[in-house]
Amino acid sequence: MFGHALDIWPAAASANAVETDHLIIAFTVLTVLLTAPIFIGFTWFAIRYRRGVKADRRHGEVRSSAIEMTWMIGPFLLTLFFFAWGAQMFMRDKTLPAGGLQIDAIGRQWMWKFQHPGGQSEINDLHVPVGENVTMHMISQDVIHAFYIPSLRIQMDVLPDRYTNLWFKANRTGSYHLFCSEYCGTDHSVMGGTITVMEPAAYQQWLGASGSDMSLASAGEALFQSYGCSGCHQGQSTVRAPSLVGLYGKPVPLEDGRTVVADDSYIRDKILNPNNNLIAGYKQVMPAFKGVIAEDDLLRLVAYIKSTGVRAPM
């Protein structure tokens, strides 16, 4: 029975998960040590001095400032230590590592769609290599979801119209559950799947066997042509539109005097709502693509524009 009770505590599949367990267990022990004496004393006094029982009810004047100060300062310092420990883990988890593997994820009622840089896609199954930093770049197509992998002790909200990110580095191969931990509708409970952590060679073999005609960026380039974006943003167009080559990550001056950075969210918003954040020096003639381009294609278009940052100008 005790063994089955441990089943609700999923195995840790990363160093971060192990440290998270240590933090939770240590803080639980601290909480018990701080609160147990209070409840034990409360119970003893309630029984000892209950109505009808003969007891010495005189109030003594014995006080100890040392004990009172210890009781106040000790727990304060201990909880401060745990705050610093948790803050250090939080900052580390929220700082995305340079390089590594980025996988795009789209949450929708009620499934997860994952897209690998090479163009491979999968539904409710996620394959990743062991020992490599993996960044999940996520957005929702409808309502608020939450990407949750218990064995990695990670969770992040997945929001409509806004990209969110989380990263992890699994250190154990195997298959683990993934869930949506935000109630997102009637069939929320079926919105889950499996993450498979593989040896790097096996992961490369899986990528090759999964098949893909073109990478995410190449697919985005094809969309760039098919949606007519190239007619204004490339070549000898008569429309004076800004070049997108090398745009990603660069500051963009706006008509109202502000400057924004051309990140994923900015590029996505300009495609869907070009009347937002008007660019200084350019007349707005671009049509809005909101409701026209699917979320999958937006990811591909952003991947293409991002890839032009390392290409020679066209």
Side-chain angles (χ1 to χ4, degrees):
M1 181 175 180
F2 183 70
H4 289 296
L6 291 179
D7 291 343
I8 64 174
W9 195 285
S14 70
N16 178 70
V18 172
E19 186 177 2
T20 301
D21 289 348
H22 290 165
L23 175 62
I24 292 174
I25 293 171
F27 192 73
T28 301
V29 171
L30 172 67
T31 302
V32 171
L33 291 176
L34 293 178
T35 57
I38 297 174
F39 284 96
I40 292 173
F42 180 84
T43 303
W44 185 86
F45 282 111
I47 295 174
R48 179 69 182 85
Y49 295 100
R50 69 186 185 279
R51 179 182 293 181
V53 174
K54 292 183 179 179
D56 183 0
R57 302 179 190 275
R58 292 173 296 178
H59 296 283
E61 296 295 331
V62 178
R63 295 189 57 182
S64 172
S65 297
I67 292 177
E68 291 179 1
M69 293 299 291
T70 301
W71 180 247
M72 288 189 292
I73 295 175
F76 171 73
L77 294 178
L78 287 171
T79 51
L80 196 62
F81 166 76
F82 279 96
F83 170 78
W85 187 0
Q88 172 263 329
M89 291 178 61
F90 177 83
M91 294 302 296
R92 183 190 60 201
D93 293 345
K94 297 303 179 187
T95 304
L96 299 180
L101 172 66
Q102 176 176 308
I103 297 176
D104 296 297
I106 298 174
R108 65 180 64 149
Q109 292 172 320
W110 288 271
M111 55 173 274
W112 295 103
K113 181 174 183 180
F114 303 105
Q115 291 191 316
H116 295 256
Q120 298 84 357
S121 62
E122 44 187 341
I123 304 293
N124 291 339
D125 284 320
L126 174 62
H127 292 75
V128 298
V130 68
E132 184 174 343
N133 292 332
V134 178
T135 298
M136 301 299 301
H137 183 62
M138 305 178 292
I139 195 166
S140 169
Q141 188 171 296
D142 36 51
V143 300
I144 298 176
H145 302 281
F147 184 70
Y148 176 41
I149 304 177
S151 292
L152 297 174
R153 312 292 191 264
I154 57 172
Q155 174 180 271
M156 176 60 73
D157 284 347
V158 181
L159 310 173
D161 295 323
R162 178 180 168 185
Y163 291 111
T164 55
N165 300 281
L166 65 76
W167 74 277
F168 61 88
K169 183 166 76 173
N171 60 6
R172 283 181 55 182
T173 58
S175 297
Y176 310 98
H177 294 295
L178 65 87
F179 299 102
C180 173
S181 59
E182 180 82 31
Y183 179 70
C184 57
T186 306
D187 289 333
H188 159 72
S189 62
V190 302
M191 188 173 173
T194 303
I195 174 175
T196 302
V197 182
M198 316 171 76
E199 293 292 345
Y203 175 68
Q204 292 301 324
Q205 187 176 11
W206 175 85
L207 288 176
S210 296
S212 174
D213 295 334
M214 58 180 69
S215 69
L216 206 62
S218 297
E221 185 173 12
L223 291 171
F224 195 76
Q225 305 289 337
S226 66
Y227 281 118
C229 312
S230 58
C232 298
H233 291 282
Q234 283 183 339
Q236 303 300 319
S237 168
T238 56
V239 178
R240 185 169 175 265
S243 171
L244 304 183
V245 176
L247 170 69
Y248 190 86
K250 300 291 179 58
V252 179
L254 302 182
E255 195 173 74
D256 59 7
R258 293 181 297 127
T259 299
V260 297
V261 175
D263 57 9
D264 298 63
S265 297
Y266 168 81
I267 295 173
R268 179 183 180 276
D269 184 62
K270 287 301 289 182
I271 294 172
L272 299 180
N273 307 292
N275 289 320
N276 294 345
N277 296 322
L278 297 177
I279 302 173
Y282 289 92
K283 184 179 180 181
Q284 162 48 25
V285 295
M286 178 177 166
F289 285 89
K290 189 175 181 63
V292 176
I293 302 181
E295 207 63 58
D296 312 52
D297 287 348
L298 286 168
L299 286 172
R300 296 185 180 100
L301 284 168
V302 173
Y304 163 63
I305 294 171
K306 188 175 182 179
S307 72
T308 63
V310 294
R311 293 183 176 185
M314 291 177 284

